[in-house]
């Protein structure tokens, strides 16, 4: 006979789905001192941080969210330099979209370079050879045209 069915209880229940970000952020504890941390993921109701200082569950914190600003919350769990925070006031859908898009970096060449390119050794020589070849070809065409005009060819 089989033992009775036992439902498996999950250790963590999440009220909202999370979006993985892995973005730099700033955490402020109760004393107000800023600390650089990594914002691993965010949801409407909270976030996960890594690289955090020694925190205790229940501590009040301010988490910097790009595009939204600082959001107050409390620490729910702490483990191995990581922490989970529950926001005091959940993010609105618009704030969540701002936080999601604020870290997007556009990489493009807008016509300016931060450092001048190093010229290669063959580039100037190749330009000189092309220039000299064009001059010689032009001179030969002029001589040929002059020879036709006086009837030598």
């Amino acid at each position: 006979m089989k033992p009775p069915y036992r439902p498996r209880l999950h250790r963590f229940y999440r009220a909202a789905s999370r979006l993985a970000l892995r973005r730099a952020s700033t955490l402020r504890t109760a004393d107000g001192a800023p600390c650089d941390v990594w914002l691993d993921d965010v949801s409407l109701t909270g976030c996960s941080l890594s690289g955090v200082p020694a925190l205790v569950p229940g501590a009040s914190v301010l988490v910097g969210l790009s595009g939204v600003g600082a959001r107050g919350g409390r620490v729910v769990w702490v483990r191995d330099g990581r922490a989970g925070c529950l926001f005091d006031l959940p993010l609105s859908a618009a704030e969540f979209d701002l936080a999601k898009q604020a870290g997007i970096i556009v990489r493009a060449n807008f016509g300016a370079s931060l450092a001048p390119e190093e010229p290669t050794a063959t580039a100037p020589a190749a330009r000189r050879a092309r220039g000299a070849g064009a001059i010689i070809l032009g001179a030969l065409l002029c001589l040929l045209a002059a020879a036709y005009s006086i009837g030598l060819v």
Side-chain angles (χ1 to χ4, degrees):
M1 179 170 203
K2 288 186 176 180
Y5 175 75
R6 289 188 179 182
R8 183 176 198 156
L9 298 177
H10 294 283
R11 184 173 171 196
F12 296 107
Y13 171 74
R14 294 203 170 145
S17 61
R18 295 192 172 252
L19 173 71
L21 292 177
R22 191 67 179 157
R23 182 181 302 158
S25 182
T26 302
L27 175 77
R28 291 185 184 270
T29 55
D31 63 2
C35 176
D36 293 331
V37 295
W38 286 103
L39 182 64
D40 293 329
D41 57 49
V42 69
S43 73
L44 296 175
T45 58
C47 65
S48 173
L49 305 165
S50 59
V52 298
L55 294 173
V56 293
S60 293
V61 293
L62 281 175
V63 179
L65 298 172
S66 298
V68 176
R71 180 63 63 147
R74 65 180 174 83
V75 178
V76 179
W77 58 266
V78 178
R79 183 176 48 247
D80 300 328
R82 299 188 66 219
C85 297
L86 180 67
F87 296 139
D88 293 334
L89 180 65
L91 296 174
S92 68
E95 288 175 324
F96 185 72
D97 288 340
L98 284 173
K100 187 169 34 173
Q101 295 172 1
I104 297 173
I105 298 172
V106 177
R107 289 190 171 101
N109 183 2
F110 294 107
S113 176
L114 295 178
E117 290 184 17
E118 291 292 326
T120 59
T122 58
R127 278 195 297 263
R128 279 195 303 266
R130 277 192 303 238
I135 291 172
I136 293 172
L137 180 64
L140 286 175
L141 288 175
C142 287
L143 285 174
L144 184 62
Y148 272 116
S149 67
I150 59 170
L152 292 175
V153 180

